[in-house]
Amino acid sequence: MKYLLIIFSLFILKSGLAEETKTENFSQIIQLTASRELVVDNFFGSISVTGYDGNDVQLDVTKVIKARNKQKIDYAQEKVKLDISTDNDKISIYVDGPFRKDCENKFSWRGYNHEGYQVNYDFELKVPRNVSLIARTVNEGEINISHLVGNFDIKNINGGIKMQHIEGSGSVYALNGDMSLAFDKNPIEDCYIGSLNGEIRVVFKPQLAAEFKLKTFNGEIYTDFNFEHMPHKQKVQ
C-alpha cells in the first residue's frame, strides 16, 4: 500500500464566534485480489466513484474537522475514525464515531451547536469497472458515480445522487435530494429508484423492455418511451 498524508490547521473567525478547523489530505492504493465488492459508508461529506480499467482501488480523502475550540478538535480527532478493512471478497471504508448507534444503519446527531464539533470526509475513488458498489452518506455531501458496470446500492439522506455511464442493476434512494441516472446498458435485474422530497430523472437506452411500478405523492411522472398499462393485480383474500 502507498500513503500520502498532509495536515494543516487554520484558526478562523466566523460570525463573531471563534472556530477552529483542521484539515487532512490522505491517499491510499488498495490492491485487489479476489475483492470485487466495495462499501463506502460516510456520515458528513461527499462520495465520488469513477470506474477505470485498472485492478486497484485508488482512494483520495479530504478530512475537515471544525470545532468551537481546541479541546473539541482533540475530542473529534480521537472519537471519529476512518476504518479501512479488506478481506477476500470485500473492501470496507467506514467512518465511525459517537453518532453511530449499535444497530445497523442507525445514527444519532444533535447538531454542531450541541456537539461543538463536526467531521467531514470527502472521498474520491477510482475503482475497477466491475466492482459491486455500496455507498452511503447522510449530511452535507453529494454522491457521484460514473463508468461502472457492476451492481449498486446507493443511499443519500440529505443530498443528491448522480450516476452516469452505468450498466448494472440495484437500488438508489435519496431521501431529501434530487437524483439522475443515465444507463449505457439497460439493467437486466430488478431496480428500485426512489426519493421522498426530490426529483428523479432516469435515462435508459432504446428498446427498453421492462415492467414499471411508478408512484408519486406531490408531482408528475413523464416518459418518452411507448408503454402499455399492466393489468391491475387483485389482492388475494
Side-chain angles (χ1 to χ4, degrees):
M1 298 184 181
K2 301 178 182 178
Y3 301 89
L4 174 65
L5 181 63
I6 303 172
I7 302 175
F8 63 91
S9 297
L10 176 66
F11 189 79
I12 63 175
L13 196 64
K14 183 179 180 180
S15 301
L17 298 176
E19 181 181 88
E20 192 168 336
T21 68
K22 185 174 185 178
T23 299
E24 302 176 12
N25 294 308
F26 172 81
S27 297
Q28 181 173 342
I29 295 177
I30 306 172
Q31 297 177 345
L32 289 177
T33 54
S35 300
R36 280 297 180 266
E37 181 180 87
L38 172 65
V39 179
V40 185
D41 197 337
N42 201 0
F43 191 77
F44 281 101
S46 62
I47 301 171
S48 177
V49 181
T50 303
Y52 80 117
D53 292 329
N55 294 316
D56 299 329
V57 171
Q58 301 177 13
L59 171 66
D60 292 300
V61 183
T62 299
K63 173 185 176 182
V64 179
I65 304 174
K66 65 178 182 179
R68 65 168 61 105
N69 53 47
K70 176 68 165 54
Q71 289 72 27
K72 285 294 184 178
I73 286 277
D74 294 340
Y75 176 85
Q77 192 78 30
E78 176 186 358
K79 295 296 184 179
V80 181
K81 300 293 185 181
L82 176 60
D83 294 330
I84 301 175
S85 61
T86 62
D87 56 33
N88 288 333
D89 59 2
K90 183 171 73 173
I91 296 173
S92 178
I93 300 170
Y94 182 81
V95 177
D96 197 7
F99 40 78
R100 299 286 189 183
K101 304 188 79 171
D102 293 337
C103 45
E104 187 178 0
N105 295 325
K106 299 294 184 181
F107 49 84
S108 176
W109 178 255
R110 291 177 289 182
Y112 178 86
N113 289 337
H114 180 87
E115 304 290 351
Y117 73 95
Q118 181 176 307
V119 183
N120 284 50
Y121 283 90
D122 292 322
F123 295 105
E124 291 190 12
L125 300 104
K126 291 182 67 176
V127 306
R129 295 182 191 276
N130 63 344
V131 159
S132 294
L133 176 65
I134 299 173
R136 303 273 189 270
T137 194
V138 177
N139 292 310
E140 296 190 8
E142 305 290 304
I143 297 180
N144 291 282
I145 313 294
S146 65
H147 296 92
L148 290 187
V149 303
N151 289 340
F152 46 81
D153 184 354
I154 314 297
K155 182 181 289 184
N156 195 347
I157 301 300
N158 293 310
I161 298 172
K162 183 177 182 180
M163 302 177 68
Q164 55 186 342
H165 300 296
I166 55 175
E167 298 184 16
S169 307
S171 174
V172 186
Y173 185 75
L175 181 68
N176 297 308
D178 296 336
M179 68 169 67
S180 64
L181 288 80
F183 287 88
D184 281 352
K185 179 181 178 181
N186 289 329
I188 60 174
E189 299 177 10
D190 290 347
C191 292
Y192 173 81
I193 302 169
S195 176
L196 182 63
N197 297 305
E199 182 179 86
I200 300 173
R201 292 178 177 266
V202 185
V203 178
F204 296 103
K205 302 303 288 184
Q207 286 78 54
L208 175 68
E211 294 183 5
F212 283 83
K213 181 179 180 181
L214 305 175
K215 181 170 64 174
T216 181
F217 290 103
N218 296 296
E220 293 77 33
I221 298 172
Y222 302 94
T223 178
D224 58 4
F225 282 92
N226 295 325
F227 67 92
E228 296 180 2
H229 290 287
M230 300 295 294
H232 180 70
K233 294 182 179 180
Q234 299 294 329
K235 292 184 178 179
V236 178
Q237 299 295 330

